[in-house]
Amino acid sequence: MKRILSLEGGGIRGVFSLEILLRIQELLRAQYDSRDLVLADHFDFFAGTSTGAIIATSLCWGLAVEEILDMYVRCGKTMFQPVPWYRPIEKFLVSRYQAKPLSEFLQRIFSEDGDGQVPALLDSARLRKLLLVVVRNQTTGSAWPITNNSKARFNDPAMPDSNLKIPLWKVVRASTAAPVYFDPEVIQLGGRSSIFVDGGITPYNNPALIAVLTAVLPCYRLNWTPGPENIRLISLGTMRFPSTLPKKIRKPWLAQNLSLIPLALIQGIAWEQDYLCRCMGECLYGDQLDSEIGDLVGVQLPEPRWFSYVRYNESYNTETVAQLLQTAPRLSKIDAVQAIPLLRQIGQAYAKEHVKMEHLI
């Protein structure tokens, strides 16, 4: 069986996903009686968007989950370092946070020398498995799901603009360049400059479906054999919050409406990607999509099924969120670094209750 691990965007809420991954790693180490097992020993294909791109690439690089979680806990505040007060125009008109600390962080990790002096390229042999990172090419206005698959159409080494020759850290940084929060990433391709931003503003903030389509469809040139017994897709979210206004607001202001639109669109599209995966695959586990659809676990749907599917995510209703926000008012925000301890607590509790060995093998 081929196994795909998909990791959704969500900024610092990636800590929630990492706690689930820590439980997955713990179960697999016990199953195979290997204290040194990393997820790159078990999964064949990693896919990620935004913070999920950082985690997916790190796992594909061969890092253990505890190493990645430690980086998030130690460096979370560094990755969200505000633009200095003495650069007011940039602070208020361009981006909220500096890109340099995050760029330097990624350069150090994804380098051939381990010190950031020799940048690893997308075709680096240190990437142990297949990798997909979602970015948006702002220059062309299109979503780019970039992989390290040497057979992919735009990865031909003979091409002057081969994707495989892009520095790996730049691909990951581009996927995390959330508008308003971080500056775009400029990448040179065949002598031309293109501007890239966060893959979270494409249809693939949840990259699960595009990952399995990349594995199966002939145009992507991987040509995995479809079937629930052949492909297992495990998808991790970063918690879903209701994008609603307080009930007392009956006629919202323009600004109140506008503030909800990005979250509503990103979460709505991610929900749809999850829904489609449950319809195209054989859903083994997942929370309730809504009160009409249910969770589709074990439901007889039209054949054939392309893959087996597991979805881990925590979804909150309005009342529960109100209680949580009393503890951490910015919990739903992608830059809520103060909420890291709470994110860890929520992730640990979720993982202990929901992650099972039978989902993983």
Side-chain angles (χ1 to χ4, degrees):
M1 180 183 287
K2 298 284 191 180
R3 298 180 178 90
I4 303 172
L5 181 62
S6 169
L7 297 151
E8 195 170 299
I12 202 63
R13 296 201 311 272
V15 170
F16 167 80
S17 301
L18 282 163
E19 289 292 350
I20 297 173
L21 291 171
L22 199 60
R23 177 61 175 163
I24 291 173
Q25 181 182 265
E26 176 187 343
L27 289 175
L28 290 172
R29 286 179 172 179
Q31 175 72 16
Y32 296 111
D33 192 22
S34 172
R35 289 183 297 176
D36 298 324
L37 179 144
V38 293
L39 296 189
D41 296 322
H42 183 73
F43 290 95
D44 303 282
F45 190 175
F46 296 89
T49 301
S50 197
T51 196
I54 297 176
I55 298 170
T57 307
S58 298
L59 293 172
C60 195
W61 199 246
L63 297 184
V65 178
E66 57 267 26
E67 295 178 83
I68 307 168
L69 179 57
D70 180 64
M71 291 190 298
Y72 268 67
V73 173
R74 286 188 298 104
C75 305
K77 289 185 179 180
T78 302
M79 288 191 280
F80 289 97
Q81 190 167 316
V83 171
W85 63 268
Y86 52 82
R87 288 156 63 186
I89 293 179
E90 183 177 344
K91 181 172 184 177
F92 292 107
L93 297 182
V94 182
S95 56
R96 188 176 298 174
Y97 297 106
Q98 299 182 63
K100 185 178 179 181
L102 178 57
S103 296
E104 292 177 344
F105 171 79
L106 295 172
Q107 286 180 68
R108 284 194 300 273
I109 298 172
F110 304 122
S111 62
E112 298 292 355
D113 62 344
D115 196 35
Q117 300 303 309
V118 183
L121 304 182
L122 189 57
D123 64 355
S124 172
R126 291 193 61 182
L127 287 170
R128 294 179 50 179
K129 298 295 176 65
L130 286 164
L131 173 69
L132 182 149
V133 172
V134 180
V135 299
R136 173 180 164 84
N137 188 328
Q138 201 81 317
T139 303
T140 63
S142 55
W144 278 32
I146 300 178
T147 75
N148 62 336
N149 171 25
S150 61
K151 298 178 182 178
R153 179 178 178 183
F154 297 105
N155 286 359
D156 183 350
M159 297 171 60
D161 56 351
S162 171
N163 289 339
L164 290 180
K165 299 307 175 186
I166 303 174
L168 181 58
W169 76 266
K170 276 186 166 285
V171 175
V172 178
R173 221 296 281 178
S175 188
T176 65
V180 178
Y181 291 92
F182 293 105
D183 290 347
E185 184 68 29
V186 178
I187 296 177
Q188 295 286 332
L189 288 166
R192 300 188 309 273
S193 294
S194 292
I195 299 172
F196 291 86
V197 296
D198 194 336
I201 57 171
T202 73
Y204 311 124
N205 186 58
N206 175 355
L209 182 59
I210 189 61
V212 79
L213 292 178
T214 298
V216 170
L217 294 182
C219 59
Y220 295 109
R221 303 178 182 179
L222 283 176
N223 297 314
W224 286 8
T225 303
E229 71 283 0
N230 296 322
I231 299 174
R232 173 70 49 85
L233 170 61
I234 297 178
S235 171
L236 273 65
T238 54
M239 305 195 298
R240 182 157 65 101
F241 298 90
S243 51
T244 57
L245 287 166
K247 292 180 180 179
K248 63 181 180 180
I249 299 178
R250 302 179 65 181
K251 207 169 184 180
W253 293 3
L254 175 63
Q256 291 172 321
N257 266 327
L258 289 176
S259 67
L260 290 176
I261 290 172
L263 177 63
L265 289 175
I266 291 173
Q267 290 197 153
I269 295 171
W271 179 93
E272 182 187 42
Q273 300 291 298
D274 180 19
Y275 187 16
L276 291 173
C277 283
R278 299 190 200 209
C279 292
M280 297 173 64
E282 180 183 301
C283 187
L284 304 179
Y285 191 80
D287 64 344
Q288 179 175 277
L289 287 165
D290 65 28
S291 56
E292 182 174 19
I293 300 167
D295 58 23
L296 296 182
V297 175
V299 174
Q300 292 298 314
L301 295 171
E303 297 291 343
R305 309 260 62 79
W306 286 20
F307 51 92
S308 52
Y309 179 65
V310 173
R311 171 70 170 173
Y312 294 133
N313 199 22
E314 183 72 273
S315 298
Y316 292 105
N317 58 38
T318 305
E319 290 74 19
T320 306
V321 166
Q323 296 172 5
L324 280 171
L325 293 183
Q326 291 178 0
T327 305
R330 294 181 56 83
L331 179 63
S332 65
K333 308 299 182 182
I334 70 171
D335 57 349
V337 292
Q338 297 82 4
I340 287 177
L342 180 58
L343 289 167
R344 295 197 65 183
Q345 179 183 335
I346 294 170
Q348 288 166 9
Y350 179 93
K352 184 177 180 180
E353 179 179 354
H354 297 277
V355 179
K356 308 297 180 186
M357 192 66 234
E358 57 265 27
H359 301 161
L360 309 177
I361 57 174

